[in-house]
Amino acid sequence: MKKSILLSLLLLVRSVAFADEGMWLPIFLKQLNEPDMKAKGMRISAEDIYSVNQSSMKDAVVLFGGGCTGEIISDKGLLLTNHHCGFSQIQSHSSLENDYLKYGFWAMTQDQELACPGLSVTFIIRIEDVTAQIIGKISPDMSESDREKTIKDMSGLLEKKAIEGTHYGANVRPFFNGNQFYLFVTETFKDVRMVGAPPSSIGKFGGDTDNWMWPRHTGDFSLFRVYAGPDNKPAEYSKDNVPFKPRHFFPISLKGVQPGDFTMVYGFPGRTTQYISSYAVKNTMEVNNPARIAIRTARLEIIDDAMRSSDKLRIQYAAKQASIANAWKKWQGEQKGLTRLNTIQNKQAFEKSFNEWAKLNGNKEYINLLDQMRRQYEELAPFSKAIDYINEAAYGVEMLRYAAAFNKLESLASANPLDEKAMLEEANRLLNTSGGFYKDFDATTDRKLFVAMMNMYFTEVDAAYHPSELINIQAKYKGDFAAGGSYLYSKSLFADSLKLQAFLKGFSVKKLKQLQADPAYKLAMSLRNIFKSKLEAPAGAINADLAILNRKYMVAQMEMEPTKRFYPDANSTLRVAYGQVEGYEAADATYYNHMTTIEGIMQKENPAVEEFEVPKKLKELYASRDFGDYAVNGTLPVAFVASNHTTGGNSGSPVLNANGELIGTNFDRVWEGTMSDIDFDPDKCRNISLDVRFTLFVIDKFAGCKRLVEEMKIVK
Ligand code: ARG
Ligand code: GLU
C-alpha cells in the first residue's frame, strides 16, 4: 500500500515536472496528448489540429525556406513569419538606394509584392506511420549496410506509391534514431513574394545584445504571400500567378494572453538530442562548443568592425553576421545551462541505473552499450575538434570556401576522356553564380579573417592535421600570416571578381594550370586533402558506429521505461509543442514577467547605439498613445514568454490559444533555457513570441498598410 502510494506520487511528480517538455507528432496527439492538452485548457480537439479527412490547422502551417516556419493568415495566401526568417530576402532586395533593411518594405498594393527567386514554402498534406512496412523488411541479423539499403529501397517505394498521379512530394524520415519511420506527403510552392517588413530598428530591435534574451522587445516579423497557378496548384514564378487559396488560415485573436493561459506552437523544429549519453554531452561541452565559440568570437570581431566602418559593408555582411552571431550566442547559453543543470552528472546517474537494469535483465547487448559509447567518444574527440576548425575557421574564410567549390571544374577538366560539354557547363554555372558570391564579398575584410583564422588553426589544431600548403605559407612568411595573407589576396584570382570572371569566360583545359597554380585554390585543396585523407574516414566510421549504438540505446531506454511518454527528437518535421503563458525566475532574486510592452522599447532606446535606435514614427505613435485596437491597459504589448518546448526551426511558428486562434509568432528562446535541445528545465525553459497585437499595430498604425489588416480575420 505504502509502496504503491509512493510510486504513484513519484510518477505524478515526474509527469508534472515534464509537463511542458516535448515536441509531438500531430498524428499522435489524439492518442498521446489530447487529454493532457484539454486539462491544460485547450478547447479544440486533436482532429482540429491535424486531420487527414478534412481541412485542419496543419493546412495553415508551412516550412518556410530552408529552416523556418510560417503561417497562413488570410484566404489570399498571406504568410506571417519572423523578420529574421525573411532576413536574407529583405537583404537581397536591399541596396544603398532601396535600403529595406534600414527603412523597411511595404507593398502598398498587391502588384508591388516582390518576387523572391529561390524561396519556397512547403505544406504537409499528410503524415503516415510506415514503421511496420519498413521494419517488416529488416531482420536483426542483417548487416548494417543491408539494413540501410533495405530501408532506402522500401522508403523509395512507399514515397513513389504515395504520390502517384499527383504533384506532391514525399519523403520517409527516420525517428527515434532510426527505430520508427514516418512518411510525409508534401506540397511545395515556389512563387512566394515579399509583402512587408518593418525596419531593422523594429524587426531586429535589440540586435545581438538582446538576442536569446528576455525581457525582449524585438518586432521580429515579416510578411510574404504564396502565389499559385490559375488552378490553385504550385507553379514557377509568373506574372499571371494568383494568390493561393489555402485550405485553412489562422484567425487572429486580439484577446491577448494571461499567465496560465494554454498555448501551443505548431511548426518545424530542426534538431534536438534529448536521449544522448553523458559522453555525447561531454563532447559537446568540452570539445565542440568551446572550439566553435572561440572561432566565431574572432570572426565576429572582424566582421562587426567592418560593418561599423561603412553602409556598404553593413549591408553586405548583415545576413552573414546575423547567422554567425546567432549560433555563437546560443552555444554560450547552452554551456551555462548544461553546467547549471548538472546535465552530465544527471545523465551519469541515469546511466548507472540503466546499467543495473540491463544487468538485472541479463541483456548482454545493453550491458555494454554505454561503455562502447564512451570509447567511441574518446576516439572521436581529436577528430571532431579538427573538423570544427576546418569547417568553422578555415572555411570561415569565404575565399577559401569559394575556391574549394571549383574542385569540380578541375576534376571535369582533367577527366580522361574529357567531357568538354560538361566542363564548359560547369564553368558557365560558376560564372553565372559568381555575381551572387561577390555581391556580398569584401576582399579586405576577408583577408583579415584569413589572418585570424590561419593563426588560430595553426596554434589550436594538432600538427597532424595541418595542411601542407598552410605549413608552406607559415614557413615562407616565418609565421607571419598577415604577410602571407597580403600575398594570397594580391595574387589569387578569387580575391578579385573581374579576374575570376575573365578566367571563367571562355574556359578551356589549357586554363586549368592557372587554377591549379592559384594560391587560394592550392590552400583550399590542401585543406580538403587533409580532411579527406585523415579525418573524414575515421570520424565517419566512429559516427556510423555511434549511430548504431544510439539506435539501440534509444529502444533500450524505451524498454526500460515502458510507461513514459517519449517524443521523438526534432528533425525538421511538423510538431506540436504545448504549455502555458508564464514568466520565470531567471536568477537569484530575479523574476521575469510573462509580457513586455512598448514602455520597454522606450526604456531601452539609445540613439547612440544602432541596435537600440527607435524609429521616429514609432516614437510619435508612442507619444500620442495612438495604439488603435491593439492596446491593453493603456499600453501596447510587444512579446510574451510561455513554456512551449521549441528549438531552431520553430522561428516563425504560429503560437495559438485554446481556440486555435493566432496570438503570436514564435521567434526565440530565453537565455537561461537554451540548453533545452539537450536538457529541458520546466522552471526556466521558455519560448519567446511576438504578440500578434504588436504585429498588427506595426502593419496598421506604423506602416499604414491597411489592405493587409483588412484581408485577415480578426477576432475581438
Ligand atoms: N535567436 C533567434 C533564432 O535563433 C533569432 C536570431 C536573429 N537575430 C539576431 N540578432 N541574430 O533564430
Ligand atoms: N530563432 C530560432 C529560429 O530561427 C528559434 C529560437 C530557438 O532556437 O528556439 O528558429
Side-chain angles (χ1 to χ4, degrees):
M1 176 69 183
K2 232 182 170 171
K3 222 172 156 186
S4 78
I5 291 179
L6 206 73
L7 192 73
S8 50
L9 215 68
L10 240 134
L11 284 174
L12 190 73
V13 167
R14 190 176 166 113
S15 73
V16 168
F18 286 80
D20 298 324
E21 178 176 351
M23 303 169 172
W24 305 95
L25 271 163
I27 50 170
F28 293 135
L29 288 181
K30 186 155 193 66
Q31 197 179 316
L32 289 179
N33 312 95
E34 196 180 50
D36 187 26
M37 292 171 94
K38 290 203 157 153
K40 285 216 166 106
M42 184 176 79
R43 286 193 287 271
I44 53 176
S45 69
E47 180 81 3
D48 296 324
I49 299 170
Y50 176 91
S51 168
V52 258
N53 306 312
Q54 60 203 44
S55 70
S56 60
M57 281 158 58
K58 75 138 174 43
D59 297 316
V61 184
V62 296
L63 179 68
F64 179 86
C68 274
T69 305
E71 57 271 19
I72 304 295
I73 54 168
S74 87
D75 62 355
K76 296 191 192 67
L78 188 62
L79 182 153
L80 174 61
T81 186
N82 291 147
H83 185 263
H84 78 260
C85 293
F87 200 70
S88 54
Q89 305 302 330
I90 307 168
Q91 192 257 350
S92 69
H93 284 297
S94 290
S95 58
L96 285 171
E97 300 75 48
N98 285 318
D99 193 343
Y100 301 139
L101 283 175
K102 188 157 189 169
Y103 301 107
F105 166 79
W106 302 99
M108 299 309 282
T109 56
Q110 197 182 298
D111 59 2
Q112 291 173 0
E113 298 178 358
L114 291 175
C116 298
L119 176 64
S120 65
V121 302
T122 297
F123 290 87
I124 301 300
I125 298 298
R126 64 170 199 277
I127 308 172
E128 243 173 73
D129 183 353
V130 293
T131 307
Q133 282 105 302
I134 289 186
I135 296 291
K137 301 272 181 224
I138 298 171
S139 59
D141 50 354
M142 243 179 197
S143 73
E144 270 307 308
S145 59
D146 283 349
R147 186 182 193 273
E148 252 171 57
K149 186 172 180 312
T150 309
I151 293 173
K152 195 163 164 250
D153 292 349
M154 192 59 202
S155 300
L157 234 94
L158 290 166
E159 287 162 358
K160 206 168 142 232
K161 229 176 75 198
I163 58 174
E164 242 161 37
T166 71
H167 62 280
Y168 296 148
N171 49 63
V172 170
R173 305 285 305 274
F175 286 72
F176 291 114
N177 298 337
N179 287 295
Q180 296 182 13
F181 299 87
Y182 295 87
L183 168 78
F184 294 79
V185 177
T186 58
E187 182 177 36
T188 297
F189 287 81
K190 290 185 177 156
D191 185 354
V192 183
R193 303 186 197 170
M194 191 163 103
V195 172
S200 291
S201 52
I202 289 178
K204 210 186 162 186
F205 180 76
D208 287 317
T209 308
D210 275 10
N211 192 20
W212 298 107
M213 305 270 234
W214 183 257
R216 187 69 157 277
H217 300 84
T218 313
D220 197 344
F221 80 94
S222 61
L223 294 160
F224 288 79
R225 190 185 303 282
V226 183
Y227 281 76
D231 56 358
N232 206 36
K233 292 207 174 114
E236 292 297 330
Y237 171 83
S238 154
K239 282 231 292 286
D240 304 326
N241 285 348
V242 292
F244 170 61
K245 274 195 128 359
R247 291 165 284 265
H248 181 79
F249 65 91
F250 288 110
I252 295 173
S253 167
L254 294 188
K255 280 173 286 192
V257 293
Q258 296 294 331
D261 281 358
F262 174 86
T263 59
M264 62 179 256
V265 177
Y266 208 168
F268 293 87
R271 195 179 116 87
T272 59
T273 48
Q274 315 282 168
Y275 306 104
I276 52 177
S277 66
S278 62
Y279 309 110
V281 181
K282 205 162 166 331
N283 196 57
T284 299
M285 288 183 76
E286 291 174 8
V287 183
N288 301 128
N289 279 353
R292 294 173 188 178
I293 292 166
I295 296 166
R296 289 196 177 198
T297 302
R299 286 165 68 190
L300 284 166
E301 258 168 45
I302 293 163
I303 293 173
D304 288 342
D305 259 355
M307 286 176 71
R308 274 190 293 270
S309 74
S310 84
D311 276 346
K312 180 165 172 270
L313 291 175
R314 173 180 57 76
I315 295 173
Q316 281 185 318
Y317 281 82
K320 293 186 277 202
Q321 193 275 354
S323 101
I324 299 167
N326 193 41
W328 167 77
K329 192 162 179 187
K330 189 208 130 170
W331 292 325
Q332 296 175 58
E334 185 174 85
Q335 291 288 91
K336 282 189 128 187
L338 293 171
T339 308
R340 183 177 50 74
L341 280 185
N342 291 319
T343 301
I344 293 182
Q345 293 82 340
N346 291 339
K347 292 240 179 214
Q348 282 168 343
F350 173 80
E351 285 158 9
K352 200 165 158 250
S353 54
F354 176 88
N355 283 336
E356 279 159 15
W357 168 80
K359 271 192 204 116
L360 211 68
N361 287 279
N363 188 322
K364 279 213 196 76
E365 202 173 21
Y366 292 170
I367 290 171
N368 292 319
L369 262 183
L370 284 155
D371 210 43
Q372 282 174 276
M373 285 203 209
R374 179 183 56 75
R375 269 181 280 136
Q376 299 283 12
Y377 275 106
E378 280 166 7
E379 269 182 53
L380 184 66
F383 300 125
S384 89
K385 180 172 176 187
I387 291 172
D388 274 347
Y389 268 84
I390 290 192
N391 289 333
E392 284 283 333
Y395 290 139
V397 181
E398 285 186 272
M399 184 165 79
L400 296 180
R401 193 177 37 188
Y402 189 54
F406 279 60
N407 181 243
K408 182 161 178 215
L409 188 63
E410 185 186 1
S411 50
L412 285 169
S414 53
N416 191 11
L418 174 72
D419 182 349
E420 203 170 348
K421 191 164 159 270
M423 176 192 82
L424 294 181
E425 266 172 20
E426 175 65 4
N428 226 343
R429 189 190 67 80
L430 288 166
L431 180 62
N432 290 336
T433 50
S434 64
F437 174 76
Y438 287 108
K439 177 176 177 278
D440 294 334
F441 175 79
D442 175 61
T444 308
T445 305
D446 205 53
R447 180 169 47 77
K448 291 179 187 161
L449 286 168
F450 172 88
V451 178
M453 292 301 103
M454 294 305 122
N455 264 319
M456 273 188 107
Y457 194 104
F458 208 82
T459 45
E460 288 298 322
V461 177
D462 190 308
Y465 310 116
H466 286 182
S468 56
E469 279 302 314
L470 186 67
I471 297 172
N472 291 345
I473 295 172
Q474 204 271 351
K476 189 166 161 202
Y477 295 96
K478 303 196 173 56
D480 181 359
F481 284 110
S486 297
Y487 171 77
L488 216 76
Y489 281 75
S490 65
K491 281 284 178 294
S492 171
L493 284 172
F494 294 93
D496 182 338
S497 61
L498 295 177
K499 272 199 227 163
L500 184 88
Q501 285 159 352
F503 167 77
L504 284 171
K505 268 179 213 145
F507 183 80
S508 67
V509 178
K510 270 194 272 164
K511 282 184 156 183
L512 191 62
K513 281 214 178 71
Q514 201 186 339
L515 178 65
Q516 285 163 334
D518 187 278
Y521 184 73
K522 272 164 65 184
L523 178 53
M525 286 307 105
S526 175
L527 276 160
R528 189 169 179 273
N529 287 340
I530 278 285
F531 177 73
K532 292 262 167 211
S533 65
K534 292 199 174 164
L535 296 164
E536 191 182 34
I542 297 172
N543 280 321
D545 284 343
L546 279 170
I548 301 166
L549 294 171
N550 275 315
R551 185 175 80 224
K552 294 183 176 157
Y553 187 40
M554 186 74 243
V555 230
Q557 290 179 63
M558 291 168 122
E559 284 172 24
M560 181 182 165
E561 297 191 275
T563 57
K564 182 174 161 184
R565 273 190 317 171
F566 283 86
Y567 60 93
D569 271 321
N571 58 356
S572 297
T573 58
L574 186 62
R575 303 295 178 91
V576 171
Y578 57 94
Q580 53 183 324
V581 174
E582 53 180 321
Y584 66 106
E585 189 172 316
D588 189 28
T590 310
Y591 185 85
Y592 285 146
N593 290 339
H594 69 288
M595 192 174 93
T596 59
T597 68
I598 194 170
E599 309 303 327
I601 297 183
M602 301 316 298
Q603 289 160 11
K604 284 180 178 172
E605 188 206 4
N606 183 353
V609 179
E610 200 199 336
E611 289 179 328
F612 293 99
E613 279 169 18
V614 177
K616 190 162 155 275
K617 178 82 193 274
L618 190 63
K619 284 198 267 191
E620 285 165 12
L621 289 164
Y622 175 74
S624 58
R625 311 215 61 90
D626 187 3
F627 303 139
D629 286 344
Y630 314 113
V632 55
N633 300 329
T635 186
L636 183 69
V638 176
F640 62 89
V641 283
S643 53
N644 301 291
H645 190 182
T646 56
T647 188
N650 268 125
S651 271
S653 298
V655 183
L656 306 154
N657 65 13
N659 300 323
E661 299 154 347
L662 190 76
I663 50 173
T665 308
N666 184 73
F667 71 95
D668 216 352
R669 270 175 291 164
V670 303
W671 180 246
E672 299 79 7
T674 39
M675 69 297 175
S676 66
D677 294 349
I678 296 172
D679 202 352
F680 187 90
D681 177 359
D683 291 336
K684 296 218 185 335
C685 289
R686 299 288 179 270
N687 67 307
I688 307 180
S689 307
L690 181 63
D691 193 305
V692 76
R693 293 169 297 181
F694 187 77
T695 306
L696 291 176
F697 165 82
V698 172
I699 300 170
D700 183 351
K701 288 282 175 179
F702 177 84
C705 215
K706 299 237 188 268
R707 71 172 186 110
L708 298 177
V709 182
E710 276 156 17
E711 65 175 282
M712 302 172 194
K713 181 174 164 191
I714 296 192
V715 185
K716 291 198 180 167

